């Protein structure tokens, strides 16, 4: 069953649009008049390109706003700014085929991601305006992306070249991510988990770099809502029945003396399902709670991402959050196929942000994982007798967590016959069932989780292109992002079992090989593991490293480790002024000079 209007969503409400600004030579008596139709047509084609290719996370086409007049001077610049404000525009794309008055026609909103497409034609100097306007943006400190086609076009050519299309869409995807997160919240359930630095939630990071806020709640709120029945009872019964039918139990790895009784395990299922309902309600709100007399709880927290501390104060006597996190992070549940929610294990807010960035760029579920082990070819040979070949010949990383990873991460969905993770509106009922069938739920290991709970157990299918990423906080620097594009790999069953059983085999496993370049920290797989900045990562389906770099530049977050081809890097022209030979160094200098998008707080 596909998503319906009755299902709760993080995306209820007015979604931001992309504004297209047609700018024109303001000289009347023949010049402007000859260009009006061409300029407006250019803007409408850009809007059509965006709306026909990009979707919001709820599956709706991205909306664009195009004024019915061109911008020839500051008076019209102001009118368009008013229009964009009224229409909830969050991203700005300026287009022109001709010369215009640079600083008079600029988008001056300092918080809005902006780009300029200057038509590459010889009849009119659109590229000259592009250069002049970008210089103005650089001088004033309002970074803008420059879009300039490689090949000259004839005046009146209605085609948008492929290279221009690619840059417009990459800019629009990243800009929309910025707009979608602005004004939303991170819901922090609990505090710091087991001393993990990523779960020391930094309110200033969210406020200054993302335009978000942090809503902090104690984990006792779960107990209160369970004890007082603050959840949808009908949905709970339906969800529990669905779980019993569709969530297959796996092997109990506990020794006999620490195994829980069947009665206790059943109680753990009941509590786990209630936890999932409660976490979702706290993120999105639930109007059904108001009908029960819980108006405050019905409102939710406007959260676009959340995290759950769990360990240890909760998990020492209550079921862990693995089922809650796994099912919410997935693109389906008892109500059918729907949007995934972003829930970070162990309240690792930095990994939660990383998941959010990947989700907003791809509209697909994100996998939360530990970066657990580097397996070298020699170590695999010693332990299993197997010689690694193909993609895995240089070794691989073991990505594994306690069972909270999205079930989409099984790789049981497909694109053109190959394993994939897809936006929810492209997932079939059969694919959702295959993800469920590929997952077993094992009683949690009592040594780790004294209060019980369930861990999802699966092995990710191989040959999926994926991008692992991680946001880290650095003293004296601030947030920095690292990115590793690569592929999942499958191992022969005997080899998989031998390696998997050396850790907790009741948890989900992904064998990951980053693409190596032979230099720097990507010279080999070991070096990637050795340079990773934290114990966690999040990974997205597809090679989206260049999109993450574009988005990071909009947020003024430098990228200090990536394996993206230099030709694919797309940042505002402002960055060029800080050096073109060392792009990584220029990124740091530009971000430091500009400071956080939403203001530095002393």
């Amino acid at each position: 069953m596909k998503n319906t209007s009755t299902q709760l969503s993080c995306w209820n409400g007015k979604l931001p649009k992309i504004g297209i600004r047609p700018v024109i030579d303001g000289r009347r008596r023949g010049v402007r008049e000859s260009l009006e139709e061409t300029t407006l047509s250019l803007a409408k084609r850009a809007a059509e390109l965006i709306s026909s290719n990009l979707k919001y996370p709820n599956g709706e086409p991205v909306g664009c706003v195009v004024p019915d007049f061109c911008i020839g001077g500051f008076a019209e610049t102001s009118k368009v700014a008013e229009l964009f404000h009224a229409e909830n525009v969050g991203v700005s794309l300026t287009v022109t085929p001709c010369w215009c008055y640079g600083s008079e026609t600029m988008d001056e909103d300092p918080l809005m991601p902006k780009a300029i497409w200057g038509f590459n034609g010889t009849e009119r100097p659109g590229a000259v305006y592009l250069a002049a306007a970008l210089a103005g943006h650089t001088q004033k400190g309002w970074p803008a992306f420059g879009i300039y086609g490689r090949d000259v076009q004839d005046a009146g050519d209605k085609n948008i070249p492929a290279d221009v299309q690619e840059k417009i869409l990459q800019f629009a995807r990243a800009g929309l991510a910025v707009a979608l997160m602005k004004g939303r919240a991170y819901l922090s359930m609990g505090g710091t988990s087991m001393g993990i630095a990523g779960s020391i939630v930094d309110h200033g990071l969210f406020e200054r770099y993302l335009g978000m806020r942090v809503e902090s709640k104690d984990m006792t709120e779960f107990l209160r809502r369970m004890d007082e029945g603050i959840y949808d009872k009908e949905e709970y019964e339906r969800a529990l029945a669905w779980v019993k039918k569709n969530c297959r139990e796996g092997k109990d790895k506990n020794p006999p003396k620490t195994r829980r009784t069947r009665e206790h395990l059943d109680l753990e299922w009941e509590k786990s399902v209630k936890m999932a309902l409660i976490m979702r309600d706290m993120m999105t709100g639930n109007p059904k709670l108001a009908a029960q007399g819980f108006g405050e709880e019905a409102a939710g927290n406007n959260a676009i991402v959340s995290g759950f501390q769990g360990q240890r104060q909760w998990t020492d006597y209550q079921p862990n959050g693995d089922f809650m996190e796994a099912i919410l992070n997935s693109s389906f549940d008892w109500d059918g196929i729907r949007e995934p929610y972003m829930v970070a294990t162990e309240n690792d807010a930095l990994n939660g942000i990383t998941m959010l960035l990947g989700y907003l760029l791809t509209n697909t579920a994100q996998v939360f994982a530990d970066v657990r082990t580097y397996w070298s070819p020699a170590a695999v040979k010693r332990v299993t007798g197997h010689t690694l070949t193909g993609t895995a010949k240089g070794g691989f990383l073991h990505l594994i967590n306690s069972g909270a990873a999205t079930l989409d991460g099984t790789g049981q969905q497909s694109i053109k016959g190959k394993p994939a993770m897809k936006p929810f509106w492209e997932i079939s009922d059969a694919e959702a069932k295959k993800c469920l069938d590929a997952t077993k739920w094992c009683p949690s290991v009592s040594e780790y989780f004294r209060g019980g709970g369930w861990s999802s157990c699966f092995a990710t299918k191989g040959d999926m292109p994926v991008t692992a990423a991680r946001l880290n906080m650095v003293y004296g620097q601030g947030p920095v992002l690292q990115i590793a594009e690569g592929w999942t790999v499958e191992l022969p069953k005997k080899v998989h079992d031998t390696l998997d059983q050396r850790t907790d085999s009741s948890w989900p496993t992904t064998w990951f090989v980053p693409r190596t370049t032979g230099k720097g920290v990507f010279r080999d797989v070991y070096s990637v593991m050795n340079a990773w900045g934290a114990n966690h990562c999040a990974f997205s389906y597809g090679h989206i490293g260049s999109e993450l770099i574009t988005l990071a530049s909009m947020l003024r977050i430098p990228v200090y480790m990536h394996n993206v081809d230099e030709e694919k890097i797309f940042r505002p022209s402002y960055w060029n002024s800080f050096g073109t030979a060392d792009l990584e160094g220029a990124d740091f200098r530009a971000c430091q000079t500009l400071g956080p998008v939403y203001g530095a707080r002393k």
Side-chain angles (χ1 to χ4, degrees):
M1 182 179 68
K2 297 295 183 182
N3 181 287
T4 70
S5 60
T6 60
Q7 291 177 313
L8 300 178
S9 169
C10 286
W11 306 106
N12 296 323
K14 199 173 182 181
L15 293 169
K17 299 175 183 175
I18 296 179
I20 314 297
R21 306 175 70 255
V23 298
I24 199 168
D25 192 324
R27 288 173 286 197
R28 305 279 181 169
R29 301 183 184 180
V31 177
R32 176 168 178 156
E33 291 84 349
S34 69
L35 293 165
E36 291 272 7
E37 183 179 349
T38 299
T39 304
L40 280 172
S41 175
L42 200 66
K44 292 174 182 176
R45 294 202 303 275
E48 182 181 359
L49 170 72
I50 292 169
S51 294
S52 61
N53 283 277
L54 300 185
K55 287 182 168 58
Y56 294 113
N58 66 1
E60 297 176 4
V62 169
C64 293
V65 177
V66 182
D68 57 7
F69 58 90
C70 294
I71 304 168
F74 185 66
E76 289 159 327
T77 297
S78 300
K79 288 181 181 179
V80 170
E82 292 173 2
L83 171 66
F84 283 4
H85 178 73
E87 292 289 336
N88 195 35
V89 166
V91 185
S92 164
L93 172 63
T94 296
V95 302
T96 187
C98 60
W99 166 253
C100 317
Y101 304 150
S103 60
E104 297 180 20
T105 60
M106 290 169 57
D107 175 359
E108 296 184 339
D109 186 331
L111 302 181
M112 190 177 297
K114 51 185 63 67
I116 303 171
W117 171 26
F119 186 85
N120 185 2
T122 55
E123 290 84 355
R124 296 282 184 176
V128 177
Y129 167 76
L130 173 64
L134 290 175
H137 279 283
T138 296
Q139 185 171 329
K140 292 173 181 288
W142 301 329
F145 290 79
I147 300 174
Y148 178 53
R150 179 174 290 274
D151 298 319
V152 172
Q153 293 180 260
D154 298 329
D157 187 344
K158 297 186 182 298
N159 294 314
I160 302 179
D163 61 328
V164 173
Q165 289 187 36
E166 183 179 349
K167 286 189 174 181
I168 288 176
L169 294 176
Q170 182 163 328
F171 162 77
R173 271 191 294 267
L176 197 63
V178 173
L180 284 166
M181 69 177 78
K182 184 180 178 183
R184 302 300 298 274
Y186 175 82
L187 177 60
S188 173
M189 293 302 307
T192 304
S193 175
M194 301 182 295
I196 294 172
S199 62
I200 303 173
V201 182
D202 186 333
H203 289 225
L205 167 64
F206 283 90
E207 294 161 1
R208 291 177 288 153
Y209 285 89
L210 307 180
M212 296 173 61
R213 64 186 296 158
V214 175
E215 288 291 305
S216 298
K217 308 293 180 183
D218 194 274
M219 289 183 293
T220 55
E221 179 65 0
F222 282 94
L223 295 176
R224 184 181 78 89
R225 293 197 184 205
M226 284 192 281
D227 290 346
E228 297 186 6
I230 309 176
Y231 52 88
D232 183 341
K233 312 296 195 307
E234 182 279 328
E235 183 182 9
Y236 164 68
E237 295 296 339
R238 177 161 42 86
L240 185 61
W242 180 88
V243 165
K244 290 179 178 179
K245 179 180 179 180
N246 293 280
C247 296
R248 299 184 304 149
E249 292 187 13
K251 184 178 179 181
D252 192 338
K253 308 289 182 179
N254 293 291
K257 67 178 181 179
T258 60
R259 287 182 183 173
R260 283 100 66 188
T261 65
R262 182 69 252 176
E263 182 181 18
H264 198 285
L265 293 174
D266 289 340
L267 182 62
E268 291 171 25
W269 271 126
E270 294 171 9
K271 288 185 176 181
S272 295
V273 171
K274 289 176 183 178
M275 288 170 64
L277 297 180
I278 290 168
M279 176 63 100
R280 184 208 57 201
D281 289 351
M282 284 194 287
M283 290 180 68
T284 67
N286 188 344
K288 289 189 176 181
L289 300 183
Q292 299 176 27
F294 302 107
E296 180 182 358
E297 292 84 351
N301 289 278
N302 195 33
I304 193 175
V305 58
S306 65
F308 179 68
Q309 175 196 330
Q311 298 184 74
R312 283 189 40 215
Q313 287 71 28
W314 178 270
T315 57
D316 276 3
Y317 90 116
Q318 290 290 335
N320 63 28
D322 287 4
F323 174 79
M324 171 186 72
E325 293 160 10
I327 200 66
L328 289 178
N329 280 325
S330 299
S331 300
F332 43 83
D333 60 17
W334 40 88
D335 281 330
I337 297 169
R338 47 103 176 123
E339 308 146 18
Y341 300 87
M342 297 295 109
V343 186
T345 301
E346 294 158 352
N347 201 26
D348 184 345
L350 296 180
N351 222 44
I353 292 172
T354 311
M355 294 170 71
L356 178 61
L357 300 185
Y359 173 47
L360 294 179
L361 288 172
T362 65
N363 293 330
T364 60
Q366 304 292 297
V367 177
F368 184 112
D370 287 356
V371 184
R372 183 62 65 98
T373 310
Y374 164 65
W375 276 102
S376 68
V380 173
K381 181 73 172 178
R382 177 181 63 81
V383 171
T384 70
H386 179 72
T387 301
L388 296 176
T389 60
T391 304
K393 65 181 179 181
F396 48 81
L397 304 183
H398 192 180
L399 306 183
I400 180 174
N401 73 358
S402 64
T406 171
L407 272 59
D408 299 53
T410 57
Q412 295 293 328
Q413 301 159 28
S414 65
I415 296 176
K416 296 181 179 179
K418 294 186 177 181
M421 296 167 62
K422 302 191 293 190
F424 78 89
W425 59 85
E426 294 181 5
I427 300 172
S428 69
D429 291 333
E431 287 174 320
K433 187 176 186 306
K434 287 176 67 177
C435 292
L436 285 163
D437 290 345
T439 305
K440 291 184 179 179
W441 297 90
C442 299
S444 62
V445 176
S446 300
E447 180 184 11
Y448 272 14
F449 302 112
R450 300 175 190 172
W454 298 89
S455 297
S456 64
C457 176
F458 62 77
T460 302
K461 290 181 71 68
D463 297 324
M464 278 206 302
V466 296
T467 302
R470 169 72 188 186
L471 186 75
N472 295 307
M473 286 293 286
V474 178
Y475 176 77
Q477 171 63 48
V480 293
L481 186 67
Q482 54 188 159
I483 300 165
E485 294 182 340
W487 298 267
T488 63
V489 294
E490 284 185 63
L491 303 176
K493 186 178 186 308
K494 185 177 180 180
V495 177
H496 168 90
D497 291 344
T498 300
L499 301 184
D500 203 37
Q501 288 168 10
R502 291 175 68 96
T503 180
D504 194 324
S505 58
S506 66
W507 295 350
T509 277
T510 301
W511 308 112
F512 170 63
V513 178
R515 184 178 61 246
T516 54
T517 63
K519 58 183 179 181
V521 295
F522 284 95
R523 59 186 174 271
D524 53 32
V525 179
Y526 166 80
S527 300
V528 176
M529 173 74 180
N530 199 40
W532 204 251
N535 54 310
H536 292 152
C537 77
F539 70 80
S540 296
Y541 173 77
H543 289 160
I544 63 164
S546 61
E547 285 86 353
L548 283 168
I549 289 172
T550 295
L551 175 54
S553 69
M554 291 180 180
L555 300 172
R556 317 285 168 77
I557 296 174
V559 180
Y560 73 97
M561 171 180 169
H562 70 82
N563 56 353
V564 177
D565 291 339
E566 189 172 299
E567 299 78 35
K568 293 183 178 180
I569 296 176
F570 187 35
R571 293 185 174 113
S573 61
Y574 180 90
W575 266 242
N576 295 334
S577 303
F578 290 83
T580 56
D582 174 16
L583 297 186
E584 185 173 292
D587 185 24
F588 273 80
R589 291 187 289 273
C591 289
Q592 184 176 38
T593 302
L594 289 168
V597 178
Y598 301 100
R601 187 173 60 194
K602 301 298 183 183

